[in-house]
Amino acid sequence: MQEKVEAMRKKAVQLNQELIETQDLLDKLNKELEELNDNRERKQAVLDRLKADAEKMAKRLKAAEELISGLSSEQKRWGEDKEAIAEKKVLLIGDCLLSSSFLSYVGPFDFTFRKKMIFDHWLVDIKEKEIPITEGFKLEQLLTTDVEISQWASQGLPSDELSVQNGILTTRA
């Protein structure tokens, strides 16, 4: 019986040793599992952030594509505007010549004499010398704006051509 007890004690010591080893292995595995879970949570947070960034970038890309698409349709209009501006640039030579002559010389004269100087002499001379000028050029187009003319009218200046010319001469000459 003593042998049985001794064998059982040895067996108990061995089983306790195995239990301790198993417990250590379990603790070690639990630690690894905890580390893996922490690592998974960090990786998941990075993944979530990357997904959110990807969605944000996708929205920006879509908006950029829509903008580019909208701007490409504007390209035709811009090309036409560019051509119109180039044409106006050439005509600006005569327009500026006539406008500067007006500002420099016609101030003291009445409307009839101004009109005769501008349209019967200077404009004819510009056309004879083949200086480019806008067809149907009006001084008001280059020297003032509709807004300014409206402001003058609201301040009591009549909107007739003579009054507008006088307003131009008062503010520009």
Side-chain angles (χ1 to χ4, degrees):
M1 185 133 166
Q2 188 117 10
E3 288 179 12
K4 279 186 174 184
V5 170
E6 194 58 35
M8 288 176 105
R9 278 189 189 158
K10 280 184 180 181
K11 186 81 169 168
V13 168
Q14 182 184 4
L15 287 175
N16 273 339
Q17 188 64 29
E18 285 179 19
L19 177 64
I20 290 171
E21 288 173 7
T22 306
Q23 196 69 27
D24 288 344
L25 181 61
L26 180 63
D27 289 344
K28 184 179 174 186
L29 290 175
N30 279 336
K31 255 187 185 176
E32 281 183 41
L33 181 62
E34 188 177 312
E35 288 174 9
L36 289 173
N37 279 334
D38 289 345
N39 192 22
R40 183 188 61 80
E41 288 175 6
R42 284 193 307 273
K43 299 293 184 185
Q44 186 64 44
V46 169
L47 178 64
D48 292 344
R49 191 181 76 245
L50 290 175
K51 281 182 180 180
D53 288 348
E55 287 177 19
K56 185 197 263 183
M57 292 302 155
K59 287 178 183 178
R60 286 182 179 172
L61 179 61
K62 183 180 178 188
E65 287 172 349
E66 290 174 0
L67 178 63
I68 289 171
S69 173
L71 291 176
S72 66
S73 66
E74 288 292 308
Q75 184 177 8
K76 180 181 177 186
R77 187 180 62 83
W78 291 340
E80 292 168 357
D81 286 351
K82 181 181 173 185
E83 291 173 13
I85 289 171
E87 290 173 15
K88 284 182 181 181
K89 181 180 170 184
V90 171
L91 298 174
L92 200 56
I93 297 167
D95 295 354
C96 287
L97 178 62
L98 193 58
S99 296
S100 62
S101 300
F102 169 79
L103 291 172
S104 298
Y105 298 111
V106 302
F109 302 111
D110 68 354
F111 181 68
T112 307
F113 192 68
R114 286 180 189 175
K115 201 168 187 178
K116 189 174 184 180
M117 266 198 309
I118 294 168
F119 295 105
D120 294 344
H121 296 288
W122 294 342
L123 187 59
V124 171
D125 193 39
I126 288 172
K127 288 184 178 180
E128 283 176 358
K129 290 185 172 46
E130 296 181 5
I131 298 172
I133 190 166
T134 303
E135 195 62 40
F137 176 74
K138 290 186 174 185
L139 295 166
E140 299 84 24
Q141 291 173 331
L142 187 62
L143 297 176
T144 191
T145 63
D146 290 337
V147 173
E148 191 172 35
I149 292 171
S150 295
Q151 286 175 340
W152 292 338
S154 70
Q155 294 170 357
L157 184 69
S159 296
D160 63 300
E161 193 173 354
L162 174 64
S163 298
V164 171
Q165 285 182 4
N166 287 336
I168 292 170
L169 288 168
T170 302
T171 59
R172 307 284 189 276

